[in-house]
Amino acid sequence: MDRLNYINSANAAYIDTLYETYKQDPESVDFGWQKFFEGFDFGKDSQATSAVAVATPENLLKEINVMNMINGYRTRGHLFTKTNPVRERRKYFPGKELETFGLSEADMDTVFNAGVEVSLGPAKLRDIRELLEQTYCQAIGAEYTYIRNPIKLKWFEDRMESKRNTPSFNADEKKQMLAKLNEAVVFENFLGTKFLGQKRFSLEGAEALIPALDSVITKGSELGLEEFIIGMAHRGRLNVLTNIMEKTYQEVFTEFEGKNFYSESPFGGDVKYHLGYSTDIETKQGKKVHLSLCPNPSHLEAVDPVVEGITRSKIDFKYNGDHSKIAPILIHGDASVAGQGIVYEVLQMEKLDGYRTGGTIHLVINNQIGFTTNYKDARSSTYCTDVAKTVLSPVFHVNGDDVEALVYVVNLAMEYRQVFNEDVFIDILCYRRYGHNEADEPKFTQPVLYKAIEAHPNPLQIYSKKLIAEGTIDDKYVKTLEKDFRGELQKMLDDAKASDRFTDTIPMFEGAWSGLHLANHSELISAVDTSVTKETITEIGNNLTVLPKGKEFFKKIEKLFQDRNAMVNKTGVFDWAMGELLAYGTLLKDGFPVRLSGEDVKRGTFSHRHAVLTLADSEDEYTPLETIDTNAKLSIFNSLLSEYGVLGFEYGYALANPNALTIWEAQFGDFFNGAQIIVDQYIASAETKWQRGNGLVMLLPHGYEGQGPEHSSARVERFLELCADDNIQVANCTTPANFFHILRRQMKRSFRKPLIIFTPKSLLRSPNCVSPLADFTDGKFYELIDDNFVDPKKVKRVLLCTGKIYYDLLEKQQTDKRKDVAIVRVEQLYPTPVQQILKIKAKYDKATEFLWVQEEPENMGAWPYICRKFHNDKLMNLNVISRLEGSSTATGFAKQHAAQQLHIVSKAFEAPAGKAVKETIKKTIEKMANAGAD
């Protein structure tokens, strides 16, 4: 512990000299020694001389040893606690014996001034040690001394040591804990006896979680909190849903009976222990609190960033930036909190401006086992919670059988969160009474542990016995409590069995989603007016391109913004970056908040966006979009180097506020697969599983430009294989104007669907990839763009494509003036504009070949999906021109890339690619050779 490093010396003469120097001039010695000698003098002055040891060098050394002991208990006392209800704790050395600190039994009745450090004043060693034992080595273990802020250290020490970490609740509070514990235990037992063989992922062994949650919500409401967002896995979820969220027992029983299934429902549904729920409750003190339990997949900890994103979104828009009104609670398992990297990613967001949520309460249900894996095989760290130390979060380890200790700690954690706006971890040492699920046999792998668990009383039995022994209640009280609750459950079960069918009402379009609805297919394919006036483009364009006087910018930035201003006021032709920024600017002007997040998004990976500028002579920033006259909030944040965590966060952010344009951009589209779990389990399927819509936009840079297998493909095929039931939108725009309109369309419709856009890299500065003003003021988003160069009656071959390959094909077509080959761009891949494609076939009725042309290998890109839709179709017999199928997305050799690209173009036109196309491909490779990151 840094602040006590001065007590490590054992040189008595040296200490005596320091003390004499201190008495002459306190400022002449190190601050640490000042602190020690101040306490020493205080102790001498506060008691009669006879009660204080004489200030000899030998006594000073003893005082230092006692200070070492105090420090030792504070830093390592957690290793010697009584926190494990079913196992003996591992032994740690050195221990906490007196000899460890240079003390002995002979010193026990000696008075030491070091007692001042623990607020006892000069005290006997016996009394000092008793305080430390009670505070740090009983049912609560505290890890906090690595925190580098002395104010926070003092905050903990004052509260813990003054109360000796010993709970003191009144009779009513104890009865409330008992009631919640009764609900938790009896509910699990009831399910186990009434629904034999059905999975429920019981909370049994960790039922103290329920009174802990009840208390932390109550305590939080007293401290000003109005809302909690909760994320947890499946274990104990049904118990939390009913006994905390107040979902009716009848509804849960109906789900067990299978009566919530409706064959004509548009939703596929999910198992009952994955479902979410929202409700308003009233605490015993009359405080109104809104609770949301997020739905989650079986992918443990995947819900964590989603919870944080929801919370931040509500902080921004519902609570005007006030973190003290809403708090996230994450409930982990011991194996997952130690093993899943997403936990670390989320923790690293804790103090970042773009992602902070004011502190999270982390509750770990520590079953001391993961499925069948022993804890010793599940981690290298001492504790499953050691990841918390990376961000200096305090950690408490609590015996799960001691409900009062757990409630005491969660209340302390809640108070710390509200004061310091930081995370706190609570490790609940408990057990899992059955196997991973109720049908699993745990004795196959942990026979000794489960022999102990079988003989172990449940937390309700333990706490009831304690309260009876102290006279708070009698045995009749306990039996009545259980009987009455069991009777209530039986009535609810009878009602569930009597009902024909139960339709659960999930409020998909309430709250922030009011006014929106579930889209039907015709709405999805209908055009939306997303045009803006010339005056608006000019006004916002000038906001975006005129740099303020009096600020010094990098010379290249000044030139870039001069060129952009010329687009607005002279040429009337806009490049990709201007099309994108104009979309954001016009949406902000229309009152829609805009949030853009991801790695390097302020500047853009390819140095094209420059949405946020850093001044040349300071670290100050200037954001042109903030000059627009609007009340809508703009947020642009460079993220930490994370895909999984940040995409999950932005998904949650968009979930909580569908009226904000929320965008996540990958540094390269190739890197999104680090977040594949969020794509698969949330973005693509949440609507059908959980009836939860989302309007998140993903921007994925994609295109083959010779940058190798990790900088070419955003895996178009993976998104298209997820497409069904009109679940998402997938696009690959080829013009700035179409990009402008699809972004605006996302907010201009009365429904929300996730939007995945494959965005360009080399085209960002291509003189061909531009759009005239008219395309912004008169246009809309075009799912398909026809060829206006060819004569339909002369066309023999039709090339359908998407994205950047269009410009390589166009170069060949224009150079050779090939009016017999039409190039048709499919800008929206899903929902696929099938009818528009069929109209193209009818238009080019003289054509004998219809070909899909793509840069990607045959087994990747859009072709596998397009093939499934159109190959061997009697209406359109499509074939493909592409790279050969491959196990890697692209070659790492520039020359091979160029040869492959030329082959595609040549084959598309059944003619050599030609000099112009070769030169274009060569320049693209050279231009992109050093673009972006590796």
Side-chain angles (χ1 to χ4, degrees), residues 413-478:
M414 189 74 259
E415 188 179 351
Y416 179 83
R417 188 268 181 190
Q418 289 298 87
V419 172
F420 296 107
N421 297 129
E422 291 184 356
D423 290 23
V424 186
F425 278 72
I426 301 170
D427 176 20
I428 308 171
L429 273 293
C430 50
Y431 55 92
R432 188 187 67 197
R433 186 162 289 279
Y434 304 107
H436 177 67
N437 61 63
E438 287 66 36
D440 193 45
E441 178 51 77
K443 288 183 181 176
F444 285 143
T445 50
Q446 281 81 27
V448 175
L449 173 63
Y450 272 86
K451 185 177 180 181
I453 290 174
E454 276 185 350
H456 194 74
N458 66 50
L460 177 61
Q461 292 168 329
I462 293 170
Y463 193 47
S464 298
K465 185 177 180 180
K466 178 180 184 294
L467 294 186
I468 292 170
E470 69 183 30
T472 302
I473 58 171
D474 56 23
D475 187 58
K476 181 181 178 182
Y477 184 93
V478 177

Side-chain angles (χ1 to χ4, degrees), residues 510-740:
E510 294 182 3
W513 284 77
S514 295
L516 300 173
H517 64 269
L518 187 67
N520 57 53
H521 183 71
S522 62
E523 288 179 301
L524 266 172
I525 62 175
S526 297
V528 178
D529 182 10
T530 52
S531 63
V532 295
T533 65
K534 178 181 178 181
E535 291 73 21
T536 300
I537 292 289
T538 301
E539 176 192 345
I540 293 175
N542 283 320
N543 285 128
L544 296 174
T545 61
V546 177
L547 296 176
K549 294 179 180 179
K551 295 182 184 291
E552 185 177 347
F553 295 93
F554 188 42
K555 295 302 180 186
K556 288 184 179 179
I557 288 292
E558 292 178 350
K559 175 64 168 63
L560 173 66
F561 274 67
Q562 288 171 7
D563 293 343
R564 287 182 175 181
N565 189 258
M567 297 178 196
V568 178
N569 296 302
K570 293 180 181 178
T571 66
V573 177
F574 299 89
D575 65 8
W576 193 274
M578 278 299 288
E580 177 186 5
L581 294 170
L582 285 169
Y584 302 151
T586 53
L587 285 171
L588 286 166
K589 187 74 173 176
D590 291 343
F592 293 102
V594 174
R595 177 182 168 93
L596 173 61
S597 165
E599 295 158 22
D600 314 299
V601 297
K602 290 181 177 181
R603 190 201 75 171
T605 300
F606 310 101
S607 197
H608 77 287
R609 182 176 290 119
H610 294 288
V612 180
L613 310 177
T614 304
L615 301 189
D617 56 354
S618 72
E619 295 296 317
D620 292 342
E621 292 181 336
Y622 172 73
T623 305
L625 282 163
E626 290 180 344
T627 66
I628 295 170
D629 183 17
T630 180
N631 291 322
K633 182 179 178 64
L634 171 71
S635 304
I636 304 178
F637 293 107
N638 286 342
S639 75
L640 65 161
L641 193 65
S642 154
E643 285 77 36
Y644 189 176
V646 178
L647 181 59
F649 186 98
E650 300 306 336
Y651 176 88
Y653 196 96
L655 182 65
N657 187 6
N659 297 309
L661 179 67
T662 305
I663 302 172
W664 176 75
E665 181 179 57
Q667 190 181 69
F668 278 81
D670 313 59
F671 303 157
F672 96 88
N673 58 12
Q676 189 74 54
I677 289 172
I678 297 298
V679 173
D680 292 346
Q681 312 310 132
Y682 285 94
I683 292 171
S685 59
E687 189 172 270
T688 188
K689 290 191 300 187
W690 305 319
Q691 301 182 36
R692 289 290 181 266
N694 202 290
L696 178 68
V697 178
M698 294 176 64
L699 302 183
L700 306 177
H702 172 87
Y704 282 59
E705 291 131 340
Q707 288 190 283
E710 274 76 55
H711 297 83
S712 298
S713 174
R715 294 287 190 173
V716 176
E717 67 278 0
R718 292 189 180 172
F719 287 95
L720 291 176
E721 75 177 9
L722 294 169
C723 291
D725 305 321
D726 293 327
N727 60 333
I728 59 177
Q729 307 163 95
V730 182
N732 194 348
C733 304
T734 58
T735 71
N738 226 22
F739 185 47
F740 167 89

Side-chain angles (χ1 to χ4, degrees), residues 34 46 172 349:
Q34 289 181 38
S46 61
D172 288 339
M349 297 178 182

Side-chain angles (χ1 to χ4, degrees), residues 717-817:
E717 67 278 0
R718 292 189 180 172
F719 287 95
L720 291 176
E721 75 177 9
L722 294 169
C723 291
D725 305 321
D726 293 327
N727 60 333
I728 59 177
Q729 307 163 95
V730 182
N732 194 348
C733 304
T734 58
T735 71
N738 226 22
F739 185 47
F740 167 89
H741 287 296
I742 198 172
L743 290 173
R744 285 181 53 77
R745 186 185 73 170
Q746 189 71 352
M747 304 309 298
K748 292 292 183 176
R749 300 191 290 194
S750 55
F751 58 86
R752 296 290 180 264
K753 295 280 184 180
L755 171 61
I756 293 88
I757 307 178
F758 302 104
T759 54
K761 295 174 287 182
S762 62
L763 295 181
L764 294 171
R765 292 175 181 80
S766 170
N768 296 320
C769 186
V770 293
S771 296
L773 177 63
D775 286 356
F776 296 88
T777 58
D778 302 327
K780 61 174 186 177
F781 174 70
Y782 292 95
E783 291 89 354
L784 181 146
I785 301 178
D786 196 3
D787 192 334
N788 59 10
F789 173 74
V790 297
D791 181 350
K793 297 302 179 184
K794 295 180 180 179
V795 170
K796 301 299 182 183
R797 172 178 282 202
V798 177
L799 308 176
L800 288 94
C801 65
T802 187
K804 183 189 74 69
I805 190 66
Y806 164 74
Y807 287 94
D808 290 338
L809 299 173
L810 181 66
E811 181 84 41
K812 174 66 176 174
Q813 182 199 53
Q814 296 298 303
T815 300
D816 294 356
K817 296 184 170 45

Side-chain angles (χ1 to χ4, degrees), residues 375-388:
Y375 72 95
K376 290 182 180 179
D377 297 321
R379 62 180 185 267
S380 297
S381 59
T382 302
Y383 295 113
C384 63
T385 52
D386 280 349
V387 66

Side-chain angles (χ1 to χ4, degrees), residues 1 3 35 74 116-119 136 144-145 147-162 412 416 419-420:
M1 189 170 171
R3 68 194 183 112
K35 184 175 184 295
R74 287 171 173 172
V116 173
E117 175 67 16
V118 291
S119 302
Y136 296 110
Y144 69 99
T145 55
I147 297 174
R148 294 165 189 160
N149 185 329
I151 296 173
K152 296 173 187 174
L153 293 172
K154 189 72 164 56
W155 190 92
F156 274 121
E157 288 162 5
D158 286 350
R159 280 155 183 77
M160 293 191 297
E161 292 171 359
S162 64
L412 182 67
Y416 179 83
V419 172
F420 296 107

